Structures are given as structure tokens and as C-alpha cells.
């Protein structure tokens, strides 16, 4: 929260308390502002919260521990399919939300350990290739596990997944308050997802300043030196993979309940790359940067999609490029310029090993 507040131009440094209030206020009124442009934008906000949780989890592995993971979306898939299998008509199981979500997180953490064990000695490109393969293996496994016993329903996916039901409150249905006020389900999902994001932020902040967080930082900076001072790098790496996977599993379970449908197409390699791009764009290793990056790269493509056709018609009287193609082209150009002009991300991480000009709030040469 403090890092997000400090990132606000002008106000963050002059009045941090007021900046924190602005951050909290924006978080609460965001769906009301989005509703002015239509329900679609509220739905985009809901997905943005899920991507924030995914980015926070991947940042534990990549930003804190320095382990490049290109298959992170596999844990998202494990959590989503765990929820779908345990809370849908597919196996005629309708277990309660408070039981299914922790189970999905546990299965994802187990998958993280399974991935971490054979990769303990790998670094850099080799680790990236192995994790990429793991992510594709999980997706293909989900896609083909429909025979001889139909477990995942293959490429057709699983539908009619139970929505979130909290103490008898069905979040998928409009909530009536009094006689005149009705709260749309999209708003209800947003605030529930926001609560999970807030809890994730608190947990990660406490973890970052703990002995575990400092051990991860030591491994990231110099694994050999970390071993020399007595850090059990094996256990710390496994802990990073499992905890990061847990966040992915929780996000996957929430996604399944929100969407009501899961299929292997939702967990492609591009999704892993998108989440990794979010943390690089925002500021790897910086919690505030990760949040800003996830929000920006979730909203920006949709903004580009909506303005592409009107702008082309105004300039050329016809549509030259398909909005989807133009959206990805402009997003790629934005990333290229970002890496050239601000390689440490929008909000660089504080680090004693960074160059002075890359440290937030510190002028070069001082």
C-alpha cells in the first residue's frame, strides 16, 4: 500500500497519508467508474483482479527468488480444474466453496513442488525451457484426459461450474438492498476479488521482510554466496515454487467460479508470457509495480481494441487493420519502448545492488 501511494505523482511524496487514501478510494470506486462505460468494463476489472493475484504469485518466483518460470499458468489451470471437478455436475460433486478453494490451492502447491524438485540445479534459460515444457504438459494433459476415462472432458471443457456461495449468499445473482437498490453480480465478484488481492498483498509484504524473503533475495543475487552463508537453497527454491503456485491455484479457483466454464484454451503459453510481461512492465520484485503492471496490461489491450475501429474510420474512412492485430502491434511497440526507456519497469524495485538511477526516490550520484 505504501509503495502504491508513493508511486502517485506529486502527492505520493508530499502527503503519503492522503495518497494512501486516494489508492483505497480508487480501489472501491473503480467499478462505479467502469460502469459508466458499460458492464463489459466492470467484467474487465474483475479479470484484472485475477491477473493481479497471478502476477503477485509469479513475482514471488521471478522477482523475489530470481527463478524464471515460463509455465506459471499451469498452476492457474490446476486450481481452475480442481474447482471445476469438485463443484460441477461433471462428477456430480458440489462441494462448498470454502473447501474447494483450499483444495485447489493445495493441489497447485503440490504441482509447484513437483516442478521444483527436478529443476533445483537449473538456472536461466535451462530453467525457463523446463518450466515452459511443464506448462505445456499440463495444458495437453487437460486437453487429452477424456479417454479412456473422461476426467477433464477434453477440449470441450467443463461447464455449469458452481458459482461462489458464501454463507448462503450466491454471488452470481444480483443482490437486493432494500426496495430500490440492486447490486449487480459483477460488482460483487469485484469486491470479493479485491479482498483476496488485499490479503495477498499483506501476506507478501510480510513475507518479503521476513527471513524467507531475505533468503530469496540472497539466492537471486548470488546463489553460491547464499549457500556459503548457510542458506538451504534447495528448500528455499521449493518454497518459492510452492507458494507462488498457491497464489496461482487460488486465482484459478476464483476464475472457474466466476466464469462458470474452463477449457484448456484458457491456459495457453501466451497467458504465461502475458503474466510475466506484467511483472516486467510494472517493475520486477516491486509489489506496487507488479500491481500497476497487471492493471495496465489488462486494461490497455481492451482500450486499444475499442478505439482501433473509430480511429481508422476517422483517418482512412475504412478499417485497414483488424482491431485484434492492431491491438497486439501497439502493445508490442509499447513494450519495446518501455524496455528501451525504462528497463527497470514503471516502478523499479528498491535494491542496494541497483544502479542509483534505477532506485525510486534516489537521484543518480547520491
Amino acid at each position: 500500500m505504501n509503495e502504491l501511494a508513493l508511486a502517485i505523482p506529486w502527492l505520493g511524496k508530499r502527503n503519503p497519508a492522503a495518497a494512501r487514501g486516494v489508492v483505497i478510494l480508487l480501489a472501491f470506486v473503480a467499478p462505479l467508474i467502469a460502469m459508466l462505460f458499460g458492464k463489459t468494463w466492470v467484467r474487465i476489472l474483475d479479470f484484472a483482479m485475477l491477473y493481479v493475484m497471478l502476477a503477485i504469485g509469479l513475482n514471488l518466483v521471478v522477482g523475489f527468488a530470481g527463478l524464471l518460470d515460463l509455465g506459471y499458468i499451469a498452476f492457474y489451470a490446476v486450481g481452475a480444474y480442481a474447482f471445476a471437478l469438485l463443484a460441477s455436475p461433471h462428477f456430480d460433486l458440489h462441494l462448498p466453496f470454502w473447501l474447494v478453494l483450499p483444495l485447489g490451492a493445495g493441489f497447485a502447491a503440490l504441482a509447484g513442488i513437483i516442478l521444483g524438485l527436478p529443476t533445483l540445479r537449473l538456472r536461466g534459460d535451462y530453467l525457463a525451457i523446463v518450466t515452459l515444457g511443464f506448462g505445456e504438459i499440463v495444458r495437453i494433459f487437460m486437453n487429452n484426459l477424456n479417454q479412456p476415462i473422461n476426467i477433464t472432458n477434453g477440449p470441450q471443457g467443463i461447464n455449469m461450474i458452481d458459482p461462489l456461495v458464501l454463507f448462503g449468499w450466491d454471488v452470481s445473482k444480483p443482490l437486493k438492498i432494500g426496495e430500490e437498490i440492486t447490486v449487480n453480480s459483477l460488482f460483487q465478484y469485484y469486491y470479493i476479488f479485491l479482498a483476496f488481492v488485499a490479503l495477498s498483498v499483506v501476506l507478501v509484504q510480510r513475507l518479503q521482510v521476513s527471513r524467507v524473503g531475505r533468503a530469496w533475495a540472497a539466492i537471486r543475487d548470488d546463489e553460491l554466496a547464499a549457500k556459503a552463508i548457510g542458506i538451504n537453497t534447495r528448500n528455499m527454491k521449493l518454497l518459492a515454487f510452492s507458494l507462488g503456485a498457491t497464489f496461482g491455484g487460488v486465482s484459478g479457483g476464483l476464475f472457474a467460479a466466476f466464469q462458470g466454464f474452463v477449457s484448456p484454451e484458457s491456459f495457453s503459453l501466451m497467458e504465461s508470457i502475458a503474466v510475466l510481461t506484467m511483472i516486467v512492465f510494472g517493475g520486477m520484485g516491486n509489489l506496487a509495480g507488479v500491481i500497476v503492471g497487471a492493471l495496465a496490461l489488462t486494461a490497455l489491450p481492451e482500450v486499444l481494441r475499442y478505439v482501433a475501429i473509430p480511429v481508422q474510420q476517422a483517418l482512412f474512412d475504412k478499417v485497414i487493420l483488424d482491431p485484434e492485430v492492431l491491438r497486439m502491434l501497439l502493445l508490442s511497440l509499447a513494450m519495446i519502448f518501455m524496455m528501451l526507456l525504462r528497463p527497470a519497469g514503471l516502478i523499479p524495485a528498491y535494491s542496494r545492488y541497483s544502479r542509483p538511477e534505477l532506485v525510486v526516490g534516489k537521484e543518480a550520484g547520491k
Side-chain angles (χ1 to χ4, degrees), residues 212-232:
V212 172
R214 294 196 296 272
W216 284 340
I219 294 171
R220 177 193 63 206
D221 294 333
D222 193 325
E223 185 175 346
L224 186 59
K227 286 183 179 179
I229 62 175
I231 294 175
N232 190 328

Side-chain angles (χ1 to χ4, degrees), residues 72-296:
Y72 184 72
I73 209 67
F75 310 124
Y76 188 49
V78 170
Y81 267 93
F83 195 101
L85 294 173
L86 297 175
S88 74
H90 185 64
F91 286 145
D92 202 21
L93 294 174
H94 299 276
L95 299 181
F97 164 76
W98 56 265
L99 179 60
V100 176
L101 194 65
L103 283 175
F107 289 139
L110 181 60
I113 295 173
I114 293 173
L115 172 62
L117 281 172
T119 61
L120 291 174
R121 296 181 180 273
L122 300 178
R123 301 179 188 174
D125 298 341
Y126 300 101
L127 177 61
I129 292 171
V130 170
T131 55
L132 185 154
F134 177 79
E136 284 299 288
I137 287 171
V138 170
R139 184 185 64 82
I140 295 171
F141 186 71
M142 300 298 184
N143 196 53
N144 291 281
L145 202 60
N146 58 342
Q147 55 181 348
I149 301 175
N150 186 6
I151 296 178
T152 63
N153 208 30
Q156 288 78 28
I158 300 174
N159 60 6
M160 298 179 66
I161 300 172
D162 296 344
L164 295 185
V165 179
L166 305 174
F167 307 106
W169 165 35
D170 189 342
V171 182
S172 66
K173 296 180 180 178
L175 177 64
K176 290 187 177 181
I177 303 176
E179 294 289 336
E180 301 178 353
I181 301 176
T182 302
V183 181
N184 190 280
S185 62
L186 293 175
F187 285 80
Q188 300 176 58
Y189 273 111
Y190 170 82
Y191 288 113
I192 290 174
F193 293 169
L194 180 63
F196 275 96
V197 168
L199 179 60
S200 301
V201 169
V202 172
L203 291 175
V204 171
Q205 280 184 330
R206 301 306 303 166
L207 192 62
Q208 187 176 8
V209 298
S210 68
R211 294 180 63 183
V212 172
R214 294 196 296 272
W216 284 340
I219 294 171
R220 177 193 63 206
D221 294 333
D222 193 325
E223 185 175 346
L224 186 59
K227 286 183 179 179
I229 62 175
I231 294 175
N232 190 328
T233 56
R234 175 182 178 275
N235 290 350
M236 287 297 104
K237 284 183 178 181
L238 285 178
L239 184 60
F241 273 117
S242 62
L243 283 179
T246 301
F247 283 93
V250 172
S251 301
L254 294 175
F255 165 77
F258 174 60
Q259 192 79 344
F261 171 77
V262 295
S263 72
E265 294 181 358
S266 300
F267 313 107
S268 64
L269 173 62
M270 289 306 299
E271 289 294 313
S272 283
I273 294 175
V275 178
L276 180 62
T277 303
M278 290 172 184
I279 69 174
V280 174
F281 184 84
M284 190 180 300
N286 189 323
L287 192 56
V290 166
I291 295 172
V292 171
L295 293 174

Side-chain angles (χ1 to χ4, degrees), residues 333-356:
L333 289 174
M335 287 300 302
I336 291 171
F337 282 113
M338 183 69 190
M339 293 299 100
L340 291 174
L341 301 176
R342 202 172 177 85
L346 288 174
I347 310 177
Y350 288 95
S351 174
R352 60 181 297 182
Y353 303 104
S354 297
R355 298 198 304 273

